[in-house]
Amino acid sequence: MLTDELKKTIQDAYRQFLDVKQLKARYGQRLMIAHIARTLGGIKRNQEHQRGGGDHLCVVEAGTGTGKTLAYALAAVPIAKACDKTLVISTATVALQEQIIYRDLPDVLINSGLHFSISLSKGRRRYICLSKLDQLLSGADAKVLPLYIDEHMAAPDAESLSLYTDFAQQMATGQWAGDRDDWKTVIADDKWARVTTDHAQCTGRRCSHVKQCSFFKARESLTQADVIVANHDLVLADLALGGGAILPPPEECIYVFDEAHHLPDKVINHFSASFRLAATERWMEQIERALSTMIALPAMDNSIRGELESLLSQMIAVRRGLLPLRPVLEELLETAQERQGVKSLRFADGIVPAALGDHAKSLLAGFSEVIKQAETIVDSLQEGMDNNELSGNREANEQWLATVSMARFRAESAAALWRSYASDASKEKPPNARWLALVETGQGLFDVELNASPILAANALRSALWSRCYGAVLTSATLTALGSFDRFSMRAGLNTDASFEVVPSPFRHAEAAELYIPAMDCDAGNAEAHTAAIIEMLPDLLDADAGSLVLFSSRKQLRAVREGLPKAWLERILAQDDLPKHEILTRHRQCLDEGKGSVIFGLASFAEGVDLPGKYCTHVVIAKIPFAVPEDPVEEALAEWISRNKGNPFMDITVPDAAVRLIQASGRLLRNEADTGRITILDRRMVSRHYGRKMLASMPPYQQIIE
């Protein structure tokens, strides 16, 4: 419980931090600290896990400038330590993760009087695999089956070999710990891919390099840390492995999800499944060749040889079972439609045709048997290695163990798709989205891809996280839509008894910014007339000597507007797709520093996470209400489900989603309390339609000027 002693610890820490930093208390920040402390401090210590409710979950919308990191750190660290739980702080982006680990938390640690240890958690693929490095440098990597079809098996070129040799030397002298992010230069993805690993390939403590392994050394530090800084992808990867595989078990954790509005979409991606027909046939053939090689080894243990022969026979049978599937898929694709350059077919209500469902049941049984047999072999190899009962050198045994582990991993991935297609969609609430697509694989070749995905993250989050974790805080600047948490609660699976709070931003929106909606003769729904109107209006709206950001909902309109503007403006415009995002932002700042005007033309990626304080952005122009194009199969399936349940997808999904994007886009203007400027929305639907007026009412309290 939140004892008087805990309250005093939190209050004293906040007071000391403000005194040392010579800061004034922020009202919203104080409310956030109190709200988190009440929720987490109210969790009964003897409360059993597998909870059905949400009284251990705290949801806080806190605008830019609130100081969220300080608020949740001061409230959650003392409570986590008092409950003997690990505090896991998770972010959606690497940039925020690094800011928290290298700047924000050390600041709290130095200035608050609180004592806690911090560790950064990253996945295996951020660390070098010494086994792979050794194989590459010794020329033995050709024996190892690649995890993905497009991995190159050729010997490394001279440049790569020099880099890998440098890796080994730097590690041998202790000058580098094997963390990709700490290497002295940027490492190309293709070069790094050959010397890193993942859960499927890693042989764990059976690896001869485990004592020097960078990943396991980093993981050991997690067990000692009071606070672990991770990201949403890593937390979800841990949950997909059952929880406790990378991070401590959820039951032993209090989570803080910063940028929590990204969490539902991340979950959907993690719990989706896909299967490519030709690619699967190729990797199965590769594994069959590897198994044949293992079986033919004179030194192979006879009992393991028998297990390998059984696995090989089963894989051949499953691969042959794929042959009659192809004509079924090709016939279905004849009725597919082309969307955004991809030919695809979504199954209504997630119900697959009977013929495909029959194949799904058969293939699920086949791949399940492959998994079972591979697991038996993995256990035998591991036991043999542990007891030194296997003949042959240890490095070769590790490679064979990795090969069979990869066979199991790939079969598990295939089984996940076929399990979804074999299930009764009519019993799913809501049903999963299921669809086929004809995807290009390069060099003019195509493959048939089957997909399955939850349409909401709610069920996955409830079962894998909310029902298990000791407690959780979810925070972001944009969790409400149209003044309600309903949209986020539906997507994130939050119960009504969770604790919800909106704390005020320190920004004086009405004094700092104007929200301007000019008169226009056209409706934004008329794309051609709207584009022409923007071309005519922009030169008068923008200050040629200032920093501006113009946000578009479509690439086509962005290009048309840029091409239609007077030539005098073109030299001031930095447009998305012409340059990488970071280069656009760098050049924009340079222009303003040199006293020149600069205008960024951007799409959705510039409407969130872009920080241009002060002179770098004094005017944000939003071309139109950012409605999502309803062509994504998952969003289509969600809209279909809502319609079948007598809902209104436009008002229940499309409008709230657009309202959130509008707030995020307008938030590019005020980045600190000293910023001022104008937000212009070139879409009269904001005032002419009832949904537009609802959006307008939910915007931050800017001074509104509507012509």
Side-chain angles (χ1 to χ4, degrees):
M1 301 295 289
L2 187 60
T3 61
D4 290 339
E5 183 181 355
L6 260 180
K7 288 180 184 177
K8 187 175 186 304
T9 299
I10 295 169
Q11 291 165 352
D12 289 348
Y14 188 39
R15 189 178 300 111
Q16 179 173 325
F17 185 90
L18 296 176
D19 289 345
V20 173
K21 302 280 288 186
Q22 296 183 321
L23 298 171
K24 292 182 179 179
R26 297 176 180 177
Y27 178 60
Q29 191 175 61
R30 287 172 53 199
L31 288 179
M32 186 171 177
I33 293 171
H35 185 60
I36 294 171
R38 279 195 303 271
T39 303
L40 298 182
I43 300 170
K44 295 178 181 179
R45 299 191 67 172
N46 63 350
Q47 191 172 359
E48 292 184 5
H49 292 290
Q50 293 301 326
R51 305 181 177 93
D55 58 350
H56 60 307
L57 306 177
C58 176
V59 185
V60 185
E61 180 176 272
T64 304
T66 301
K68 292 189 287 292
T69 309
L70 176 64
Y72 60 64
L74 292 180
V77 167
I79 292 174
K81 292 191 71 175
C83 298
D84 195 26
K85 303 299 179 187
T86 302
L87 181 65
V88 177
I89 299 174
S90 177
T91 75
T93 61
V94 174
L96 182 54
Q97 187 181 16
E98 291 178 346
Q99 176 185 314
I100 290 171
I101 192 76
Y102 296 121
R103 192 182 77 187
D104 294 349
L105 287 183
D107 197 23
V108 174
L109 192 58
I110 292 169
N111 298 306
S112 70
L114 295 177
H115 302 286
F116 56 95
S117 54
I118 311 167
S119 184
L120 176 64
S121 181
K122 293 186 279 191
R124 280 179 175 84
R125 284 203 172 271
R126 304 310 298 177
Y127 298 96
I128 199 164
C129 172
L130 291 174
S131 179
K132 281 197 169 185
L133 181 64
D134 186 41
Q135 291 162 16
L136 277 166
L137 293 177
S138 66
D141 63 310
K143 300 176 185 176
V144 182
L145 184 71
L147 180 61
Y148 300 107
I149 299 304
D150 56 359
E151 282 189 30
H152 299 294
M153 296 303 294
D157 56 32
E159 181 184 350
S160 298
L161 194 59
S162 174
L163 177 66
Y164 299 150
T165 303
D166 200 7
F167 285 165
Q169 291 173 345
Q170 294 288 314
M171 290 199 74
T173 58
Q175 295 175 278
W176 184 52
D179 184 334
R180 179 180 183 178
D181 301 313
D182 292 339
W183 187 249
K184 53 195 173 185
T185 58
V186 175
I187 306 169
D189 289 344
D190 59 337
K191 289 181 171 57
W192 181 253
R194 298 192 67 173
V195 290
T196 189
T197 191
D198 62 11
H199 172 71
Q201 300 175 88
C202 180
T203 56
R205 62 186 179 85
R206 278 92 183 175
C207 178
S208 54
H209 298 281
V210 68
K211 290 184 179 179
Q212 295 80 38
C213 177
S214 305
F215 171 73
F216 280 101
K217 281 184 176 180
R219 187 176 167 188
E220 283 174 14
S221 71
L222 298 184
T223 63
Q224 310 298 324
D226 298 312
V227 180
I228 298 173
V229 181
N231 57 57
H232 299 349
D233 288 314
L234 187 68
V235 171
L236 295 172
D238 182 59
L239 294 175
L241 295 172
I246 304 170
L247 300 167
E251 292 80 4
E252 300 303 317
C253 292
I254 293 174
Y255 295 90
V256 174
F257 291 100
D258 205 338
E259 300 176 315
H261 61 284
H262 286 292
L263 189 60
D265 288 337
K266 294 276 189 182
V267 170
I268 287 173
N269 290 335
H270 269 270
F271 288 89
S272 60
S274 65
F275 178 95
R276 289 190 178 184
L277 182 56
T280 301
E281 290 171 333
R282 286 197 298 271
W283 70 250
M284 292 189 80
E285 288 174 352
Q286 286 182 321
I287 290 178
E288 288 165 21
R289 286 197 296 271
L291 292 175
S292 297
T293 301
M294 294 170 68
I295 291 168
L297 290 172
M300 181 60 66
D301 182 272
N302 284 332
S303 63
I304 296 179
R305 180 180 283 109
E307 293 170 352
L308 290 169
E309 288 171 343
S310 296
L311 176 59
L312 177 59
S313 297
Q314 180 62 28
M315 292 199 66
I316 291 172
V318 173
R319 183 164 56 84
R320 287 174 178 167
L322 292 173
L323 295 176
L325 176 66
R326 184 175 292 278
V328 173
L329 299 180
E330 289 175 347
E331 183 179 348
L332 287 169
L333 280 170
E334 289 178 4
T335 62
Q337 295 180 333
E338 188 162 315
R339 299 179 182 181
Q340 297 179 320
V342 177
K343 196 174 183 182
S344 65
L345 171 66
R346 183 178 64 82
F347 302 117
D349 298 314
I351 300 173
V352 301
L356 183 54
D358 290 340
H359 279 290
K361 292 170 185 174
S362 173
L363 289 168
L364 173 60
F367 279 110
S368 296
E369 187 60 30
V370 169
I371 295 166
K372 181 180 176 181
Q373 293 187 12
E375 285 175 344
T376 300
I377 297 170
V378 167
D379 291 342
S380 297
L381 287 171
Q382 289 177 342
E383 184 179 350
M385 291 173 67
D386 291 346
N387 298 327
N388 294 316
E389 294 173 350
L390 296 181
S391 54
N393 65 69
R394 188 173 182 85
E395 286 75 15
N397 291 328
E398 288 171 10
Q399 290 179 26
W400 301 131
L401 176 58
T403 296
V404 179
S405 294
M406 283 188 283
R408 178 181 62 182
F409 170 77
R410 286 171 159 170
E412 286 171 345
S413 178
L417 184 284
W418 294 118
R419 185 175 297 109
S420 175
Y421 273 57
S423 65
D424 186 351
S426 65
K427 294 181 180 179
E428 296 172 346
K429 295 183 179 180
N432 283 344
R434 296 179 178 90
W435 70 98
L436 297 178
L438 190 65
V439 294
E440 188 171 2
T441 58
Q443 299 178 334
L445 300 176
F446 290 85
D447 200 351
V448 183
E449 182 180 79
L450 298 93
N451 296 276
S453 171
I455 60 175
L456 288 174
N459 292 338
L461 279 170
R462 282 194 199 103
S463 61
L465 188 54
W466 307 145
S467 67
R468 294 182 59 189
C469 69
Y470 185 82
V473 176
L474 297 91
T475 187
S476 169
T478 48
L479 292 180
T480 61
L482 304 177
S484 167
F485 281 101
D486 290 350
R487 167 187 174 274
F488 182 70
S489 293
M490 177 187 73
R491 291 182 178 269
L494 300 175
N495 285 52
T496 54
D497 61 339
S499 178
F500 297 92
E501 186 78 24
V502 177
V503 301
S505 167
F507 294 164
R508 299 186 299 276
H509 291 87
E511 299 173 27
E514 296 174 347
L515 175 58
Y516 173 52
I517 302 178
M520 298 179 73
D521 294 332
C522 65
D523 187 284
N526 183 336
E528 188 174 336
H530 185 244
T531 298
I534 294 175
I535 292 170
E536 182 181 349
M537 296 172 70
L538 268 187
D540 294 326
L541 288 172
L542 299 177
D543 182 343
D545 299 318
S548 302
L549 173 64
V550 183
L551 297 169
F552 294 88
S553 296
S554 80
R555 184 172 272 103
K556 182 179 179 181
Q557 188 175 60
L558 182 154
R559 290 172 176 168
V561 171
R562 183 184 59 174
E563 292 168 3
L565 287 174
K567 290 184 178 180
W569 277 94
L570 295 183
E571 62 185 28
R572 297 186 180 90
I573 294 172
L574 295 164
Q576 187 167 345
D577 291 343
D578 287 352
L579 294 166
K581 182 178 178 180
H582 66 88
E583 182 66 19
I584 288 175
L585 295 172
T586 298
R587 292 194 186 187
H588 178 78
R589 293 186 185 102
Q590 286 175 347
C591 285
L592 273 300
D593 288 340
E594 294 169 3
K596 303 173 185 174
S598 177
V599 181
I600 295 175
F601 274 23
L603 298 165
S605 62
F606 278 85
E608 184 181 1
V610 170
D611 194 25
L612 294 170
K615 66 182 179 182
Y616 299 119
C617 184
T618 56
H619 194 177
V620 174
V621 178
I622 301 168
K624 64 166 62 173
I625 297 172
F627 290 124
V629 179
E631 291 189 344
D632 178 78
V634 176
E635 292 295 324
E636 277 189 346
L638 177 59
E640 180 180 68
W641 177 67
I642 288 174
S643 294
R644 294 222 190 280
N645 286 274
K646 300 181 180 179
N648 181 335
F650 182 71
M651 292 305 300
D652 294 345
I653 303 174
T654 307
V655 169
D657 285 0
V660 170
R661 293 190 193 99
L662 264 181
I663 293 172
Q664 289 168 342
S666 69
R668 297 315 96 209
L669 181 69
L670 303 182
R671 306 307 300 164
N672 58 56
E673 293 180 60
D675 285 352
T676 60
R678 168 177 277 195
I679 299 151
T680 299
I681 302 177
L682 300 175
D683 191 334
R684 293 297 296 184
R685 292 176 296 183
M686 290 291 291
V687 291
S688 65
R689 309 288 173 86
H690 73 284
Y691 61 77
R693 293 191 291 273
K694 291 181 73 172
M695 290 182 185
L696 192 59
S698 70
M699 294 286 283
Y702 306 115
Q703 178 188 349
Q704 293 186 5
I705 302 174
I706 300 172
E707 291 184 344

